[in-house]
Structure formats: structure tokens, C-alpha cells
Amino acid sequence: MTRTVDRWRAGPFVRATVAVAALGTIWCAAYLTVGAGSEVFAYFFLPVGGLLATASVHHLLRSGLDLDPAARRFWRTVRLAVGVVTIGYTWLAVDMLAHAAQSRTRTMPVPAAAWVAAGFLIAAWALARVPVAVTGSGERWRMALDRMIAFLGCAAALWYVGLAPMLSAREPWSRQAMALVGLGLLVAVGAATKVSYVVGGPVDRAAVRLVAASGGFPAGVVAVLAVQFGYIAVVPAQAIVMPLGPVLITLGVAVQARAARGLRRESPRVGVLLPYLAMLAVDVPLIAVAFGAPLHWPVRVVLVAAVAVTALVTVRQYIAYRENAHLLRNTRVQEMRLQYEVSHDSLTGLGNRALFRDRLATALATTGTATVLLVDLDDFKAVNDLLGHGVGDRLLVSVAGLLQAEAGENGLPVRVGGDEFAVLLTGPGPDPEELAGRLLAAFTHPISEHRLLVQASIGIATATPGATVDSVLRNADVAMYTAKQGGKAGFVRYEDGLREPVLAHMQLGGELRRALENDEFRVVYQPIIGLTDNRLIGVEALIRWHHPVRGVVSPAEFIPAAERTGLIVPLGRFVLRETCRQAAAWLAEFGPDALREAGLNVSARQLHDPDFVADVTSALADSGLPCERLVLEVTESAVLRGQQVSRALYALDRMGIRLALDDFGTGESSLSLLRAFPAAIIKLDKSFVDGIEIDDGRPAAADARQAVARAVIQLARALGLDTVAEGVENAEQVAVLRELGYTVGQGFHLAEPMTADGVARLLRRQRPAIERVPEEVGVRVRPDGLHVRNTAPARGPAALNGGKFGLEGGK
């Protein structure tokens, strides 16, 4: 098949039909000049050319070219049409040969004319079935009107200049000839209106034009010859003009073959101009009548056609007017929608940052007075993490509705971005602080369809003379940040001098990342001591930052910044790996009984990290520390952070890692947590140890101070949990705790936080038999590992409480 496609070309057929037409022209010239041959010869050139054109179409269909089914159907119909027309003209040629003596006056036989007419009708049907690109019903109606206008206009013009003069010529032709000429012109006009709307279809536009011209062009030329020269024009028409039809057919086949090979050249669409050209054509007869041409009945037909074209043009223009009006309306709506989308938040419907800045700039440029309330939702990330972004989005929509209700007509609430909103006050309206108070009060009630409680921190800034948009927003942001630092769920109005500490705290977050990269953090360890034998039970890892300029930075200062920036995750990973490595080294050096546990604090942000369990697994595997020797301390608030935290804790518990509930007794759900949380250790908070040793001679007061500690130890024993007393600061507290049943504690009285070398010295000294320490005398261990007897409460550093992740001083 491929070989057939490569070898087949339309050129030979084109050259053959051109040769036939050329022979006809040469013979006609010889006949008219020297009388060569008989007039009958003129009738044989068209049948020969028709046979060649039919063969050309047939070979196109059999060539194996990749033709679309619609194109194949079109060319099959054309082949049939050309073949039928060829039969008709062959009949005519044979009839003229049989009646050669009467050939000059003999009319076309009716059967021959019928064959030719049938061929023209089949060709018209083929052209009518060519697919036209239409996008919709409206486009289809517009195209139909345009084609009707073009068809009537062109048909009227051809009637006036072609067919009508044949009817009134001095030597009128036969009815059969005039009918065929009329059919040819109609096919040509119909094809012209059709092909103007064929764009990129399966049938090449140029091929359709050539097929239509094969009937229309000879018909038009024959009509002119008949009017101008009468019967003498029969020979030139048959020998010269009519053979051009097969030439055009074979050219159309060649063009279609090129298109099938991918060599089509798309021409611009001209259908838009065709109706206007038709209107000009129909005006030609009217202009002729206006300049004195006689008003015969053919002209009246043209006048009727002109009226019809005018009516169609009016309808078309009305449709175009409606379409343009609809387009303009849609354009205006689209512009308004785009302007709205550019200036409003798509989720909440509030104005966005761009609108906010524009309104604030306008207020500063006109009245110079404006107040901004910057509202930032506290801990909104937890809502997205625990309940999903869909619930978070609906919560934001509810917050937007609340802001609109509270801001009133004189306030412009906007969504600045994320969980941050703002309210712009530019005219007489509510006092900014009063509005902030109302907003905070409204947030104390559940909102959204999920009935969620949300808190917000609000920063208030009022424009001062000469203020810019950026300076006002910056002041509001500083005030809001200060409100968050003050404990959240509050508002702060910006004042001079508020910026410096906030900027310093924000810069601290940037320095934290540099400190991680430069290895400026160190891990120290606070020993956990047995209260009965003063033996080292375990250690709790604490983080210290050795700043190159500021010296040792308090964990109370940099831990909140690490939480806020998310650097708590890599920082906690560093502490985890260092603790596991160091604990494994101690066990390797001093034996498996030297250290029972090594613990560290874990933040809620770390537990939310999906890679946290994998980080713990990797740290244990790399260090070789047994799972049961690692203790992870979490606070009650961290445990309540949702399913992700719960899944992580249970996964760690299944690994054999011991979990400690830190600062027990300070939360609201401590007792319920003991059932929902897989705790192995309860750490009594320092607040319940402070003052436990005071004996003021009132037994009832002493019992009250010891009540929580007593209840916790009893509860732990009932649940089979270990206990650790935090913040032990003197020997008297040790004695009371031992009386209550506590056996393990930590605090400055027992041991201060120390380096890994200090812990190693302590382990090295206690490796021999531990000397028994009198119960009535408290013993503390210094950072250098020496035991020191204490008989009085600790002072100075012992008053500092630590125990949280890196809080200064330890526990």
C-alpha cells in the first residue's frame, strides 16, 4: 500500500486533460480559420476529458492515500457526478455524429440533457455534504443567513449578466442548453457560498473550489458567448470552453492528493466578506436601471432578489446587534468579576491585601487619619493539622462573617492572607480598642458549623502625621506580635519603643538557624537521683546555646522562637541523637547497670512531624542504645494535640520506649490522660513540691500542702506507674517525699545540670560499692560529680526551676 501511495501522482491526468483542451483549442482555431474537419469533432473533446477526469478521481480513491471518511465520501460522489455528465455529453457527441448534416441546427437530445442535469445535481449533493465547521446553534443560524445572502446576491447577478440575456438573445439556444447553463451557474454559486465556510475540514477548500468551478466557469463563459455570438459560438464552447471542466476536476484531485500527504496550505477564511460582496453584486443591476437600462422582467427578478437580500441583511444585522450587545454585557460582567476577584479573597469574600492597601493609601492621602486592627488567629495550624483544611477553611469563613458583623459600616474587614485578617477604620465609628475587645469576646464562643473555639491576637496601630501604608502596617504587625508574646488571646496598641524588642526576638529566629549550622548548641544533663541511696538513676538532657557574642542564651528566650519558626524539629533531632549517642557510650564504658534511663523533653511540634518516629528509630539504631533505656517526656498539653500525636506516642510505646508525663497535675485533664495516654512515668511538677516541707505547727495546713503529692503517688501505685519528683531544693523536701513514698527525684539540691564529662565522673565514682547515706541528711551532687552533704535549704541557683525542654537551670 505504501508503495502505491508513493508512486501515485495526479500529474499525468492533469497533463492529459490539459492536452485534450489544448487539442480542442488548436482544432477550433483551424476550423474557424481554414475550415479543417467537421463541426461534429467539437463535441468529442469534452467526453474524452470527462473520461480522464473520472479516471483521475477513481485513482485517487484507489491510491491508498489517508483520506478522511467524509473526504472519501465526497470524492466518490464527485466520481459518480463526473461519470454521469460524461455519459450525457458522450450521448450528445454520438447523436451529433449520427446527424452530422444537421449538427449546426440540431438541439441536444433530451436523454443526454437529462444525464448531464443529473450529474450536476449529484455534484451539488456532493458539495452540500461537505462538512462545515460550526461551533453552536447561534453560529449555525448566522452562517445560514450569510450563505443565503451570498447565494441570492450572486445568483441575481449571474441571472442578470448571464442567463437572462440568453433567454432574450437574437439567436436563443435550446431550452436544454439554457437549463444546463443555469444548473451549472447554480452549482457554482452554491459551491462558492459553501466553500467560504469550510475551514480545515476533511476536504481541501481549494479542491472544492476547483470542482465547483468545473461546472460554473464553463457555464458562465458559454452564457456570454451565446449572448454575444449566437449559434456560431457553439463550436468554441464545445471545443475550447467545455473541456476546461475536466481540467479543473483533475486539478482538484491533485490538490486533494497534496493535502492527504500533509502538504496543505491553509488559506485565510473569507466567508466574512462574501455576504458584502454579494450585496455589491446585487446592486449592479439596480445601478444599471438607475442609469437608464430598460426595466424588463429579468430586471424585476433582480429587484425581488435585492429586496430579499436586503431583508436578510436586516435580520443578520439585528442578530449581530443582539450578539454585540450580549457580548458587551458579558464583557462588562467579566470586567466587574475580574475587578472583584483581584480585590477580594475567593474563600471568605472579604477584601484582600491589595484592596486594603489601596483604601488605606486613599485614607492617608485625603484625611490622614486611619486605624488598623491586625487580627491573627492563634494556633490555627493545629486546626488544619488535626481536623483538615476543609474544616479550617470553613472556620476562616465564619471568622470573616464575625469580623463583618462587628466592624459595621465604617470598618473594612479584609483577609490579609492565611489566618491573618485586618480591619480598617477611616471614619467616625467604634473605638479601636472597644472593637478589639468585642472581637475577643466574640471569639470566646464556639463558631462555624463545627462549633470550634478560636483565639486571636490583635495589634492596633493608628496613623501618625506623615505615616505611610507600610509604616502603619508594620506598626500593627509589631503590636500583634507583642500580643502573641504576651500570652495570645489579647490586643496591644502600638506605642513608640515597642518595635525594638519585637525585632530582636524576630532576629533571634534567624540566628537560630545559623547556630544550628555552626554547631553552637550543647547538651547538658541533669541527674535523676534515688532519694533513698543517692544513686544515679538516670539523666534528663537539657539544651544550651553558646552564642558567640551574647554568651549563653537562656532556653526560655530561644525555645519559643524555635517553636514559632519550626526549628524546634531539627533542634530536637539534634538533642535526641546526642542523648542516645552519649547514653550508649556511658553504658559501654560503665556497664549496663550504670544508668537506667536517659530522658529528654519532646515538644508538640515534634510529635506533629510525621518523620518523628522514624527519627527516634534511626537515633536508637545508629547509637545502639536499647529502646527501654530511652525516656521521652511530654506535657499534658502536647498529649491533647490530636490523632497525629496520639498515633506517634502509641508507636513509640510499642517500640518499648518509656513515656513520661511531665509537669503532672498542672493540666485540666491529668486523670483522664492516664487512661488515654500510654505513660510509664509520672513526673510531679515542682509547684507541688515547693513548700511541702514547711512545718508551721498546724497539721491541717501541712496535710493540705502535701495532699497533691500524696494523691499522685497513690494514683501512680494503683496504676503501676513510676514517679519522679521535680524541683527538689532542700533536704527537708527529700525527707517528706520519702515519707510520702517517692523514691526518685531531681532538682538543684540533688544535682545541678552538668556536662557529659561531669556525668561520667559521677558514674566513675559510684561504680564501687555505694556508701550508705544517712536518711536524715540530704546529699547533693555538684556538677563535678562530688557528693556534698547539705543540712539547710538551697539558695541562689536552686531557686530556679527548669525541666522543660532546655529551660534554664534544670529541675
Side-chain angles (χ1 to χ4, degrees):
M1 182 68 72
T2 304
R3 187 177 303 148
T4 304
V5 173
D6 292 339
R7 291 181 178 180
W8 186 86
R9 295 288 186 271
F13 294 98
V14 174
R15 288 191 290 271
T17 53
V18 170
V20 171
L23 287 174
T25 303
I26 295 171
W27 176 84
C28 182
Y31 173 79
L32 294 177
T33 55
V34 298
S38 171
E39 185 177 344
V40 177
F41 291 164
Y43 293 92
F44 284 92
F45 293 104
L46 178 57
V48 174
L51 287 172
L52 293 172
T54 305
S56 175
V57 178
H58 179 76
H59 279 73
L60 172 67
L61 295 171
R62 296 293 299 274
S63 64
L65 290 171
D66 186 17
L67 293 177
D68 186 271
R72 191 169 294 277
R73 182 183 62 219
F74 169 77
W75 286 106
R76 281 199 300 264
T77 310
V78 170
R79 179 180 60 184
L80 177 62
V82 175
V84 171
V85 170
T86 301
I87 292 174
Y89 279 109
T90 302
W91 191 312
L92 173 61
V94 172
D95 182 80
M96 290 300 178
L97 182 61
H99 304 85
Q102 297 89 22
S103 60
R104 181 176 292 273
T105 58
R106 186 172 176 80
T107 60
M108 187 176 191
V110 175
W115 279 98
V116 176
F120 281 161
L121 292 176
I122 294 172
W125 173 246
L127 292 168
R129 296 179 68 189
V130 173
V132 176
V134 179
T135 58
S137 58
E139 179 71 16
R140 186 177 292 107
W141 277 106
R142 289 192 297 272
M143 187 178 295
L145 284 173
D146 289 344
R147 291 170 63 182
M148 290 175 64
I149 293 170
F151 182 82
L152 284 177
C154 294
L158 291 175
W159 163 264
Y160 181 76
V161 300
L163 196 58
M166 288 183 68
L167 298 176
S168 58
R170 295 187 306 272
E171 297 178 353
W173 285 29
S174 65
R175 295 177 180 177
Q176 298 92 312
M178 287 189 290
L180 294 179
V181 170
L183 272 176
L185 294 176
L186 287 177
V187 171
V189 173
T193 58
K194 176 80 174 188
V195 75
S196 297
Y197 298 94
V198 177
V199 180
V203 184
D204 189 82
R205 291 180 62 188
V208 176
R209 286 196 186 96
L210 291 169
V211 171
S214 67
F217 176 73
V221 175
V222 167
V224 173
L225 292 176
V227 172
Q228 297 297 325
F229 303 103
Y231 294 140
I232 197 175
V234 171
V235 173
Q238 292 292 335
I240 300 176
V241 178
M242 303 292 281
L244 295 178
V247 174
L248 296 174
I249 293 290
T250 54
L251 287 174
V253 171
V255 170
Q256 183 65 58
R258 283 179 55 84
R261 293 191 181 93
L263 303 176
R264 175 188 299 182
R265 291 185 300 176
E266 293 294 341
S267 56
R269 183 173 177 175
V270 296
V272 177
L273 299 177
L274 188 60
Y276 300 98
L277 297 176
M279 290 178 60
L280 293 176
V282 82
D283 288 337
V284 171
L286 301 181
I287 295 173
V289 171
F291 280 93
L295 191 61
H296 299 304
W297 69 270
V299 179
R300 291 188 176 91
V301 173
V302 175
L303 293 178
V304 173
V307 172
V309 169
T310 303
L312 291 174
V313 169
T314 302
V315 174
R316 180 66 179 87
Q317 290 301 112
Y318 174 71
I319 293 176
Y321 165 76
R322 291 187 57 184
E323 290 176 345
N324 292 336
H326 180 69
L327 181 61
L328 288 175
R329 285 195 301 271
N330 288 343
T331 302
R332 294 191 189 99
V333 172
Q334 185 74 8
E335 289 178 354
M336 294 175 62
R337 182 164 57 248
L338 290 175
Q339 290 177 355
Y340 181 86
E341 291 176 354
V342 167
S343 60
H344 287 75
D345 176 56
S346 60
L347 176 63
T348 62
L350 296 180
N352 59 14
R353 180 186 292 271
L355 179 64
F356 182 72
R357 292 181 63 90
D358 182 67
R359 296 288 180 84
L360 179 58
T362 302
L364 294 177
T366 53
T367 62
T369 58
T371 299
V372 172
L373 281 74
L374 199 59
V375 183
D376 188 84
L377 302 184
D378 297 331
D379 303 320
F380 178 76
K381 184 179 183 300
V383 177
N384 281 336
D385 292 342
L386 302 180
L387 302 178
H389 289 275
V391 175
D393 288 346
R394 287 189 283 275
L395 178 60
L396 292 176
V397 172
S398 299
V399 171
L402 188 150
L403 290 176
Q404 286 180 314
E406 295 295 338
E409 297 180 355
N410 294 323
L412 173 67
V414 299
R415 183 187 179 198
V416 179
D419 59 348
E420 193 172 0
F421 296 83
V423 178
L424 175 63
L425 302 176
T426 56
D431 179 72
E433 296 188 7
E434 178 187 351
L435 176 58
R438 291 205 311 268
L439 291 174
L440 294 176
F443 285 136
T444 60
H445 303 287
I447 61 174
S448 87
E449 60 190 80
H450 296 88
R451 311 301 296 163
L452 299 176
L453 282 173
V454 64
Q455 295 179 333
S457 300
I458 304 176
I460 305 173
T462 300
T464 56
T468 64
V469 172
D470 291 330
S471 65
V472 175
L473 292 179
R474 189 164 52 248
N475 292 343
D477 195 55
V478 168
M480 183 270 293
Y481 195 88
T482 304
K484 282 190 176 294
Q485 284 185 308
K488 304 180 181 180
F491 69 86
V492 171
R493 180 186 280 273
Y494 179 80
E495 297 177 353
D496 291 338
L498 199 63
R499 186 190 309 273
E500 287 72 18
V502 172
L503 292 179
H505 192 74
M506 295 176 69
Q507 291 171 354
L508 185 63
E511 293 183 0
L512 276 173
R513 187 176 299 278
R514 178 194 54 76
L516 274 171
E517 296 173 352
N518 295 342
D519 194 25
E520 297 176 6
F521 290 100
R522 300 290 183 270
V523 178
V524 297
Y525 304 90
Q526 184 170 30
I528 300 173
I529 304 297
L531 299 181
T532 57
D533 57 5
N534 199 44
R535 184 180 179 82
L536 178 65
I537 302 298
V539 294
E540 179 181 350
L542 306 172
I543 188 72
R544 296 293 183 264
W545 182 9
H546 293 265
H547 195 281
V549 177
R550 300 168 58 186
V552 178
V553 181
S554 169
E557 183 177 353
F558 71 79
I559 291 299
E563 290 275 5
R564 176 178 54 82
T565 59
L567 292 175
I568 193 69
V569 174
L571 189 60
R573 188 181 300 118
F574 162 75
V575 176
L576 170 66
R577 298 189 67 85
E578 181 64 18
T579 302
C580 291
R581 184 198 64 79
Q582 187 60 65
W586 287 326
L587 292 177
E589 181 178 356
F590 300 106
D593 297 329
L595 196 69
R596 191 172 71 187
E597 62 188 38
L600 66 148
N601 288 274
V602 178
S603 71
R605 187 73 173 267
Q606 289 176 271
L607 293 172
H608 274 295
D609 183 12
D611 297 327
F612 178 68
V613 176
D615 289 340
V616 174
T617 304
S618 174
L620 290 172
D622 293 344
S623 64
L625 182 70
C627 295
E628 64 273 9
R629 298 299 178 99
L630 179 63
V631 175
L632 299 180
E633 301 181 13
V634 295
T635 61
E636 297 174 1
S637 59
V639 174
L640 295 173
R641 288 299 182 93
Q643 295 182 355
Q644 172 63 29
V645 172
S646 180
R647 285 193 295 268
L649 293 174
Y650 275 98
L652 295 169
D653 180 65
R654 287 192 295 270
M655 292 169 56
I657 296 171
R658 306 179 73 202
L659 302 177
L661 193 58
D662 200 12
D663 299 339
F664 184 77
T666 59
E668 297 179 358
S669 305
S670 299
L671 298 180
S672 63
L673 281 180
L674 292 178
R675 300 185 62 183
F677 169 59
I681 303 171
I682 295 178
K683 304 194 75 171
L684 180 67
D685 187 67
K686 179 184 182 299
S687 61
F688 303 114
V689 177
D690 290 341
I692 198 173
E693 78 285 4
I694 297 176
D695 184 5
D696 55 3
R698 294 182 297 171
D703 289 342
R705 286 188 289 271
Q706 299 173 8
V708 174
R710 182 180 294 108
V712 169
I713 190 65
Q714 292 174 353
L715 182 63
R717 287 174 176 173
L719 296 176
L721 305 177
D722 294 335
T723 57
V724 177
E726 297 181 315
V728 180
E729 295 186 352
N730 54 62
E732 287 78 5
Q733 290 177 348
V734 173
V736 173
L737 289 170
R738 289 173 56 188
E739 291 177 2
L740 293 176
Y742 287 90
T743 60
V744 178
Q746 68 182 106
F748 272 84
H749 170 71
L750 300 174
E752 298 179 12
M754 60 186 66
T755 64
D757 291 339
V759 175
R761 286 193 295 269
L762 181 60
L763 290 172
R764 192 173 296 112
R765 285 179 173 83
Q766 81 170 18
R767 181 159 48 180
I770 303 299
E771 297 180 357
R772 185 173 182 82
V773 181
E775 296 182 2
E776 66 273 9
V777 180
V779 178
R780 65 185 289 261
V781 182
R782 299 191 327 195
D784 58 3
L786 295 178
H787 296 69
V788 180
R789 295 176 182 269
N790 283 335
T791 58
R795 294 292 185 266
L800 296 175
N801 178 39
K804 290 296 168 231
F805 187 136
L807 288 183
E808 179 67 27
K811 302 183 181 181

